[in-house]
Amino acid sequence: MEILTILETLEELVEKSPSVPFSGKCLLDREEILEIIKEMRLKLPDDIKQAKWVKEERQRILLEAQREANNIMKDAENKIASLVDEHEITKKAYEQSNEIIAAAQKNAREVRLGAREYADGVLNKVEDILSEAAEVIRTNREELK
């Protein structure tokens, strides 16, 4: 800001000016001081405008950052919701797969039991046929003797 430079010049002028002995006062060039004041008056509105612009720009940046932060938060919330949904879907898929496996195991047990019963029945019938055949063979052998 140019106004600060002008104030430094004014301060330097006061510090370098000759002092009046025993009074703590100094002698200043009136024309030079008035010229600095005039320059301050001319520069002050520009510096105020620049400060106002900086303030407005800062506010705009803060609002934009807040909007971006809100968008990031919404995206994060959506992602979390998506992951939760995905977790629920995965959980349900595991439940369904467990149910399918249990049903398949039950069905396999039933098929095994049915196959055993069928095989036992077939073997029982074969045994009966063989027993009858053995009986016929014994009877025929007896008749041959």
Side-chain angles (χ1 to χ4, degrees):
M1 296 179 88
E2 293 181 38
I3 197 75
L4 294 176
T5 308
I6 296 170
L7 285 173
E8 288 173 6
T9 305
L10 181 61
E11 183 179 31
E12 191 177 302
L13 180 66
V14 170
E15 287 175 356
K16 289 184 179 180
S17 64
S19 54
V20 177
F22 307 110
S23 69
K25 297 183 181 186
C26 63
L27 296 173
L28 297 171
D29 182 0
R30 181 184 307 247
E31 289 299 318
E32 195 172 354
I33 296 289
L34 289 175
E35 185 62 34
I36 291 173
I37 291 172
K38 181 180 175 184
E39 189 177 346
M40 284 176 67
R41 281 195 178 121
L42 290 174
K43 297 292 180 182
L44 194 57
D46 290 340
D47 286 350
I48 289 174
K49 286 177 190 174
Q50 185 179 7
K52 184 179 177 186
W53 178 83
V54 167
K55 180 183 171 187
E56 289 170 353
E57 188 65 14
R58 177 182 169 266
Q59 188 65 27
R60 185 191 65 75
I61 290 170
L62 287 174
L63 288 174
E64 186 175 319
Q66 184 63 44
R67 275 194 298 268
E68 190 172 333
N70 289 340
N71 288 340
I72 289 170
M73 290 295 293
K74 285 179 186 175
D75 288 346
E77 288 170 357
N78 290 339
K79 182 70 173 173
I80 288 170
S82 172
L83 289 174
V84 167
D85 287 346
E86 188 175 305
H87 175 72
E88 287 298 317
I89 290 170
T90 305
K91 186 177 173 183
K92 286 182 181 179
Y94 277 121
E95 289 172 2
Q96 284 181 339
S97 69
N98 289 336
E99 290 173 7
I100 291 169
I101 289 170
Q105 288 173 342
K106 181 182 175 190
N107 193 16
R109 266 187 309 247
E110 290 172 0
V111 167
R112 268 194 310 269
L113 288 176
R116 282 185 183 165
E117 287 176 9
Y118 175 75
D120 187 50
V122 168
L123 289 175
N124 194 18
K125 203 168 220 182
V126 168
E127 185 182 19
D128 288 344
I129 292 170
L130 287 176
S131 291
E132 287 176 14
E135 187 62 37
V136 169
I137 292 173
R138 254 187 247 117
T139 308
N140 288 336
R141 279 186 79 200
E142 294 258 339
E143 287 178 7
L144 282 177
K145 285 187 188 179

